[in-house]
Each structure stands twice: as C-alpha cells, then as structure tokens.
C-alpha cells in the first residue's frame, strides 16, 4: 500500500470502526487514513437509530453534514433537524450532543483534533 494515498468504500472501510474512516484509531498499516489531526465518519443510520447517552465535555470541534434522510442533532442549548441534502450543524469544544435518525439517514461527520 502506498502510504500517501488511499482509495476504497466508506461503508466497507468504516465497518470495523463504527463508520470512522480516518483518525488516530485507524491502524498505521492503513497508511494515510491513520491521522492524529482529524477524524472522518460515514454514518448510515436506520430510522430510530439514536445516541441514547449525551456526550460529556468533549473538547473537539465537530461538523455533521446530511447526505440523505432526516437527522436530528441535539446540542447544549439547542437542536436542529436536518432535512435537506447539505444541511449541517457544527459545534465547538465543550458542547455536549446527542442525535437521532428520524428516517433512513446518511451523515458525514468530521471531528478535530483526533483524540489520542
């Protein structure tokens, strides 16, 4: 494998890590996908799938972009339901969150820095 580039399928490659494709938790043998600065997740969620527990005191910045479906994200101080392809929510360090797929949904999540 070339250490400076990678190709594959987001669903297949993220399966062993709950959809996460890039981050510190990817084995260095995977090459460029093993990163300490950023994490990337391809999330496929059936209707009703949800994060039951809220995160607590996460110190990273997170961006969630709706690819398809209807997806609600609750954050400290508010909530948004993404319904249109390209809708997004972004929050900074110290903001707790939870989420729920209101319909079959695909979301792309980018989080930085990658926790170690």
């Amino acid at each position: 494998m070339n250490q400076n580039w990678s190709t594959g399928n987001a669903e297949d490659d993220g399966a062993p890590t709950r959809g996460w494709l890039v981050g510190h938790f990817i084995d260095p043998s995977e090459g460029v996908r093993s990163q300490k600065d950023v994490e990337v997740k391809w999330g496929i969620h059936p209707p009703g799938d949800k994060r039951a527990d809220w995160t607590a005191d996460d110190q990273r910045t997170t961006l969630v972009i709706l690819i398809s479906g209807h997806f609600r994200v609750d954050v400290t101080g508010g909530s948004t339901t993404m319904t249109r392809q390209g809708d997004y929510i972004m929050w900074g360090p110290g903001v707790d969150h939870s989420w729920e797929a209101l319909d079959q949904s695909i979301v792309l999540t980018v989080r930085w820095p990658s926790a170690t």
Side-chain angles (χ1 to χ4, degrees):
M1 168 180 278
N2 183 315
Q3 297 298 311
N4 291 322
W5 65 277
S6 180
T7 184
N9 177 273
E11 184 176 3
D12 294 345
D13 294 347
T17 52
R18 298 180 302 116
W20 291 101
L21 298 169
V22 176
H24 77 278
F25 39 76
I26 303 296
D27 191 285
S29 68
E30 295 293 326
V32 72
R33 292 180 48 222
S34 180
Q35 294 287 323
K36 294 182 182 181
D37 296 325
V38 67
E39 299 172 356
V40 178
K41 180 178 185 178
W42 182 256
I44 300 174
H45 302 282
D49 191 20
K50 62 182 168 183
R51 180 181 182 100
D53 298 323
W54 281 62
T55 61
D57 198 34
D58 191 4
Q59 294 303 306
R60 297 174 284 183
T61 299
T62 302
L63 168 66
V64 180
I65 304 170
L66 181 70
I67 306 299
S68 65
H70 295 97
F71 198 79
R72 187 184 76 238
V73 179
D74 301 312
V75 295
T76 305
S79 179
T80 190
T81 300
M82 298 179 287
T83 60
R84 195 170 121 217
Q85 191 175 54
D87 285 352
Y88 70 90
I89 181 171
M90 185 173 181
W91 62 90
V95 175
D96 296 341
H97 78 280
S98 185
W99 52 261
E100 181 176 5
L102 303 175
D103 197 356
Q104 177 73 27
S105 300
I106 298 174
V107 294
L108 178 70
T109 302
V110 181
R111 188 165 64 185
W112 64 93
S114 185
T116 56

